[in-house]
Amino acid sequence: MSLPEPEREAEAAAAIGFDLSECVREPIHRLGMIQSHGTLLAVEADTGTVDTAALNTAGLLGIAAEELVGGPVTRVLSPEHWAEALEVGAQHDGASLVLPVSVDVAGAPRMFDVTVHRQGPLLVLECESRAVAAPHFAHFYQGVRLALTRLRSATTAAECCQAAAREIRALTGFDRVVAYRFDGENGPGEVVAEVVTEGREPWLGLWFPASDIPPQARRLYRDNWIRAIADVDDISVGLHPPLRADSGLPLDLSNSVLRTVSGFHLEYLRNIGVKSSMSVSVLREGELWGLIACHGYTALTVPPELRAACEFFGVAFSLQLAVIEEREQAEALTASRRRLERIISRVTSDLEDSLLAGDDVFRALLDADGAVLCRGGRGTSSGMRVPPALLEALQRRAAGPVPGTVWSTDRLAEEPDIPGDGTEGGPAGVLMVTLSRSGDFLAWFRRARPTARRWAADPSRPVQAGPRGERLTPRGSGAVFRAVVRGQCLPWTPTDRATAQELWRTLTGVVLRHEAELAALNEQLRITNSDLDSFAHVAAHDLKEPLRGISNAAAFVIEDAAAELDATTVRRLHTMRRLAGRMDDLLDSLLHYARLGRGGLHRTRVPLGRVLDSALEVAGERLTEAHVRVIGHDLPEVYADEDRLYEVLVNLLVNAAKYAGGQDDRTVEVLVDTLRPPSGGPPRQTVVVRDNGIGIPPGQQHEVFELFRRLHGPGERGGGTGVGLAIVKRIIERHGGELWLDSEPGRGSTFFFTLGQEGG
Ligand code: ADP
């Protein structure tokens, strides 16, 4: 998209902000000047000696500054008033308090409102004449109380600001009262509420560039609730002495109510046609949230009592706003919690799958364009593409802080340690929550959203030549500049952050729970297995003895009394012996099977060819008898317990002999291939034993691996106890491998097995 030239410039400037270096550097709290409608004395608190005095004391207090400095403050204040001021200063360190004081000026009493604050070892007294008819705080208090009541009925932050602007205007009578909200600590300000006299150009919705309020001014706004300028054309009054002997600097006027503001600011106000102004800070958790700024088109002195009332209102307003914002956040949190619950309800120990597969609820949770779960250096993502270099940078950032730390930015491009990949449409902002100190994290990404802003000044031309050199451009001239802010995503809200953390907390819980459940299950299984093994072992062992007794007894009877017995009885006795023998075989198999569950595996890398050779030493004869040819393909090394593997091959080969087909060319092949096991996962080294024997009917292919399960009766096809394949299966499982088969009746059976992972 191409923009017209001025807009492009405006956009560039709006995105980066601009630097009025001179203005930014000005030490505005050490200008050493006050407004002339009042005067100032700085008095050593310990001795009561005047340290510094404003140069207009002669006119207001009747004694010249030069005469006052070095002398006792009691030349001006009565000892009672001084004692009172000391008491106030001691109690309210940092804050200012107003005392009504009467001073004898040239023989006549004159009333002053003295604002007292402590500045290091000094007590600073700022005196403003008090009109005899001036209303007292009690009067203002009524107004403020009503104003606060009205404030309380506001339900949204915007309504609350609008009500505050209206009330401050009603209290003070300024021509324009606006509420600004700052976009970030040092960002530009937006006019979110306004009350203005008819005929004046409205500012509502306008943005003011960040540089309109330089950082050091923001610091003063944060530290003082209120400041007022009675007349922008006032001739400021200097101090005596102008510089302090100890520091070589003018007196620190940070907390002074009469302090002259920067020449830049005065000129700025003049440029917009403002003659007097006042601003009340709006703080949120100790940080500057915004300002209520008041402008008068004529000079207007706000008396100290009214200032105090406005200050009080400002504090109350800040609290009220916090309450509303918190409620708004709580509501947003409830909504996102509902979404969170949906996600959590389907979380399994496979986080990647349960968070990122399927629909986009996880991404939608934070209204993001993309999401990533990065664990063990591997990122799984959904939605927009995230450049690998960005993932790596985030991983570095995630390593270190405690798990559960949330970090976010809506301007990734401004992060020094994060490489931009320069592509349009990539992530402009990220919110991540760390999962481990080794750099695992969950992150959401948002695309850049071009935001159209109406600027009160052309943000591309902030500085203009004026009578005193480079000056701020006139504001409020009716010209509104539109500029689009780019490279920035929608800001992450406190709710977004809270939601991400909540998800982290729940996930930790879920994963831990899954792990605990798994551990408990494993333990249970281990106990059950070993119970079963020892039961089988003991039973098999103990049964062998009486069985041998039965068999022997039958043998004796046959031997000793054969002549006296009839043929049927003899045949039955023989059957009895044969059955006892068979039962003995079964018990042997069972004993062997049970023993397999005990003892560890001794796994090494073994050449499969060698194992096949030794298996053939046992099975070879059976195979030869059955005319089955053995074909051993190129056999590599496998990682297994050699003795157990030998047993597997013996069983499979003997079966190939037992269940050989009727054709002439009978074969059993042994080979190794890389195959995907039926349970899924990546392809693995697989041993294959394939015969062309009688095959196994499809419906019975699962049964053959069960203990004592045979498809052929004893004696049929070489007999057997039905334990062979169960043993094979158990051995393979103990290796962490898988056993499966493929068979077609009449064509043959193929047995496949893997042997688990090396090091697994
Ligand atoms: P058995 O001692 O009966 O051989 P196995 O556990 O080794 O016991 O095998 C179980 C059953 O599976 C056998 O009875 C047989 O019916 C079938 N079977 C095993 N191997 C094969 C094979 N290679 N071909 C066809 N059937 C087989």
Side-chain angles (χ1 to χ4, degrees):
M1 183 178 77
S2 78
L3 295 168
E5 190 60 27
E7 279 197 30
R8 198 164 333 125
E9 275 179 33
E11 181 179 322
I16 55 169
F18 43 81
D19 174 32
L20 286 172
S21 306
E22 200 184 337
C23 186
V24 165
R25 277 197 303 271
E26 196 180 28
I28 53 178
H29 60 297
R30 294 239 189 217
L31 297 175
M33 300 277 215
I34 61 162
Q35 300 178 50
S36 69
H37 71 273
T39 191
L40 175 147
L41 296 177
V43 186
E44 285 173 11
D46 290 349
T47 60
T49 307
V50 178
D51 172 275
T52 306
L55 288 168
N56 62 351
T57 49
L60 284 166
L61 302 174
I63 307 172
E66 294 82 350
E67 266 183 67
L68 279 173
V69 170
V73 68
T74 42
R75 285 187 68 188
V76 182
L77 291 190
S78 68
E80 294 76 34
H81 282 325
W82 170 239
E84 238 180 311
L86 270 178
E87 203 176 313
V88 165
Q91 278 170 16
H92 300 273
D93 197 22
S96 50
L97 264 156
V98 185
L99 286 177
V101 162
S102 156
V103 177
D104 187 34
V105 180
R110 199 187 272 182
M111 285 303 291
F112 286 93
D113 281 322
V114 179
T115 309
V116 184
H117 77 267
R118 189 76 190 230
Q119 183 67 52
L122 301 175
L123 207 60
V124 180
L125 312 176
E126 296 175 89
C127 314
E128 292 165 82
S129 306
R130 181 193 183 97
V132 186
H136 280 278
F137 184 78
H139 166 83
F140 297 118
Y141 174 72
Q142 282 302 329
V144 169
R145 219 171 55 94
L146 282 173
L148 288 177
T149 316
R150 284 191 285 263
L151 208 60
R152 229 169 286 141
S153 61
T155 52
T156 65
E159 255 178 59
C160 189
C161 290
Q162 188 61 34
R166 211 169 34 235
E167 299 305 334
I168 288 276
R169 181 153 186 259
L171 285 168
T172 58
F174 278 106
D175 295 297
R176 183 194 300 271
V177 179
V178 299
Y180 285 107
R181 188 186 54 81
F182 293 122
D183 183 10
E185 200 185 339
N186 287 314
E190 183 187 9
V191 177
V192 291
E194 177 179 45
V195 186
V196 65
T197 44
E198 230 166 89
R200 296 277 171 180
E201 166 211 343
W203 289 1
L204 191 66
L206 288 190
W207 283 85
F208 286 75
S211 57
D212 271 17
I213 304 174
Q216 77 278 39
R218 289 180 200 236
R219 180 179 67 75
L220 291 178
Y221 284 149
R222 196 194 57 209
D223 296 345
N224 300 302
W225 282 98
I226 196 163
R227 63 259 103 203
I229 302 163
D231 183 353
V232 297
D233 295 314
D234 179 45
I235 329 137
S236 303
V237 176
L239 301 177
H240 178 79
L243 303 177
R244 291 182 41 76
D246 54 2
S247 63
L249 293 171
L251 180 67
D252 184 345
L253 294 175
S254 294
N255 297 316
S256 149
V257 292
L258 290 175
R259 176 172 58 82
T260 299
V261 299
S262 147
F264 288 102
H265 185 56
L266 292 176
E267 184 151 348
Y268 169 79
L269 292 175
R270 267 182 230 120
N271 282 338
I272 57 175
V274 167
K275 190 81 167 133
S276 53
S277 89
M278 182 180 88
S279 58
V280 182
S281 304
V282 184
L283 300 189
R284 181 80 210 272
E285 286 165 9
E287 292 303 321
L288 193 62
W289 180 94
L291 287 177
I292 297 179
C294 312
H295 290 158
Y297 296 108
T298 52
L300 179 72
T301 308
V302 182
E305 300 253 287
L306 179 53
R307 260 196 333 253
C310 289
E311 179 173 336
F312 177 61
F313 180 80
V315 176
F317 169 60
S318 291
L319 291 175
Q320 180 67 16
L321 196 66
V323 169
I324 288 179
E325 284 202 334
E326 255 153 43
R327 203 192 47 228
E328 285 180 341
Q329 269 169 33
E331 281 165 7
L333 208 62
T334 316
S336 67
R337 182 156 295 165
R338 250 177 253 129
R339 277 181 277 168
L340 197 64
E341 273 161 13
R342 265 184 61 205
I343 295 178
I344 286 162
S345 66
R346 55 187 210 193
V347 165
T348 63
S349 53
D350 185 352
L351 282 190
E352 274 78 4
D353 189 63
S354 43
L355 290 183
L356 293 149
D359 59 15
D360 286 335
V361 260
F362 176 57
R363 191 144 56 87
L365 182 68
L366 296 198
D367 230 339
D369 299 302
V372 162
L373 167 60
C374 190
R375 289 206 296 175
R378 209 170 64 87
T380 314
S381 61
S382 93
M384 79 186 299
R385 197 190 90 82
V386 180
L390 174 56
L391 282 187
E392 279 163 32
L394 291 178
Q395 223 175 309
R396 279 195 297 278
R397 219 169 235 255
V402 280
T405 304
V406 177
W407 174 79
S408 70
T409 173
D410 53 8
R411 284 158 234 210
L412 258 177
E414 288 174 24
E415 290 301 315
D417 57 338
I418 292 183
D421 77 336
T423 47
E424 273 277 326
V430 59
L431 185 150
M432 87 170 172
V433 48
T434 63
L435 297 179
S436 74
R437 283 187 196 269
S438 55
D440 294 347
F441 64 87
L442 264 175
W444 290 262
F445 300 90
R446 282 182 187 161
R447 276 200 184 91
R449 299 276 152 97
T451 12
R453 282 186 178 172
R454 298 163 61 232
W455 294 90
D458 180 351
S460 72
R461 294 182 210 290
V463 182
Q464 222 177 43
R468 293 165 65 187
E470 297 253 285
R471 283 299 173 264
L472 293 160
T473 189
R475 256 75 170 158
S477 61
V480 167
F481 297 81
R482 270 169 220 287
V484 175
V485 181
R486 285 174 192 278
Q488 205 172 318
C489 70
L490 274 183
W492 303 99
T493 62
T495 309
D496 291 335
R497 302 171 66 84
T499 306
Q501 201 160 38
E502 182 77 15
L503 177 64
W504 166 76
R505 208 168 293 127
T506 326
L507 285 186
T508 339
V510 170
V511 172
L512 289 180
R513 205 171 59 233
H514 273 293
E515 275 169 11
E517 275 169 12
L518 213 65
L521 219 62
N522 272 336
E523 179 58 14
Q524 224 177 336
L525 219 62
R526 200 186 58 71
I527 295 170
T528 316
N529 267 341
S530 75
D531 282 358
L532 217 68
D533 285 346
S534 43
F535 168 75
H537 190 80
V538 170
H541 199 268
D542 292 356
L543 285 177
K544 276 180 83 74
E545 206 38 54
L547 203 60
R548 200 169 299 132
I550 292 169
S551 180
N552 289 345
F556 290 145
V557 174
I558 296 168
E559 231 169 76
D560 298 347
E564 297 149 38
L565 298 171
D566 62 286
T568 314
T569 311
V570 172
R571 204 181 62 244
R572 281 184 184 149
L573 280 169
H574 277 293
T575 307
M576 199 169 140
R577 277 208 71 195
R578 208 186 61 248
L579 285 179
R582 169 138 188 87
M583 194 160 168
D584 194 51
D585 285 350
L586 284 172
L587 287 175
D588 279 339
S589 306
L590 183 62
L591 258 176
H592 182 69
Y593 182 81
R595 235 179 270 128
L596 278 180
R598 308 159 150 233
L601 286 183
H602 177 62
R603 293 218 268 180
T604 52
R605 299 203 61 82
V606 285
L608 186 59
R610 186 174 82 198
V611 189
L612 178 61
D613 289 345
S614 37
L616 284 173
E617 284 171 20
V618 174
E621 208 177 320
R622 300 283 300 264
L623 287 161
T624 315
E625 277 170 18
H627 307 288
V628 177
R629 197 155 50 87
V630 181
I631 309 168
H633 290 272
D634 238 356
L635 296 177
E637 282 191 342
V638 292
Y639 185 68
D641 181 314
E642 187 165 357
D643 293 343
R644 298 278 96 84
L645 182 59
Y646 155 86
E647 216 174 321
V648 166
L649 289 183
V650 169
N651 273 300
L652 294 178
L653 292 172
V654 167
N655 279 352
K658 288 200 287 192
Y659 309 108
Q663 76 274 50
D664 288 340
D665 187 22
R666 303 173 189 172
T667 54
V668 57
E669 287 173 84
V670 181
L671 56 120
V672 170
D673 200 353
T674 307
L675 301 173
R676 203 182 284 278
S679 68
R684 295 201 190 289
Q685 188 190 51
T686 308
V687 181
V688 183
V689 179
R690 179 186 299 140
D691 64 46
N692 57 1
I694 59 167
I696 304 169
Q700 290 169 318
Q701 291 179 3
H702 277 293
E703 292 174 27
V704 296
F705 297 114
E706 285 170 27
L707 195 61
F708 301 133
R709 174 73 67 176
R710 12 191 9 263
L711 307 181
H712 300 84
E716 204 186 334
R717 291 197 164 265
T721 52
V723 171
L725 288 181
I727 285 178
V728 169
K729 184 160 187 264
R730 195 158 206 206
I731 292 174
I732 299 305
E733 277 171 359
R734 288 215 58 207
H735 276 79
E738 273 181 68
L739 171 68
W740 69 102
L741 93 91
D742 183 19
S743 179
E744 208 184 310
R747 304 194 69 102
S749 311
T750 311
F751 291 85
F752 305 86
F753 61 91
T754 59
L755 286 161
Q757 296 284 77
E758 191 161 351

